[in-house]
Amino acid sequence: MTIDEVTAIASSALYLVVKVAAPVLLVSLVVGLLISIFQTVTSIQEQTLTFVPKIIAVFLSLILLGNWMLGELSGFMVELWSDFSRYVR
C-alpha cells in the first residue's frame, strides 16, 4: 500500500466526516442565530434559552437525517473492508 492510497483513504474519510456532520451543525447554527436575534430584539438575556431549542433541533435533525448518516458511514466502511486484501499487501 503506497502513501498515495493512504492519503486518498484519509482524504475521503475526512470528506465523509464533514459531509455527515455539516447538516446537524448547520441546524444548530441557524437555531442559535435565530434565538440570539430573538434575545436581542426582546432584551432577554437568559443563558438557558439558547440551550434547550438547540438540543431539540439537533435531536430532531438526528432523527430525520440519522438513516442517511448511517448509510453513508456504513457504505464507506463496506468499501474499505471490501478492499482490505489490497491494503494488506
Side-chain angles (χ1 to χ4, degrees), residues 26-66:
L26 287 175
V27 166
S28 176
L29 177 76
V30 168
V31 169
L33 181 64
L34 292 175
I35 296 298
S36 67
I37 290 172
F38 175 74
Q39 281 182 324
T40 303
V41 169
T42 60
S43 298
I44 298 174
Q45 296 302 322
E46 181 64 32
Q47 294 294 329
T48 59
L49 186 62
T50 60
F51 183 70
V52 174
K54 270 191 195 177
I55 290 293
I56 292 171
V58 167
F59 182 67
L60 289 175
S61 67
L62 285 174
I63 288 173
L64 293 174
L65 298 171

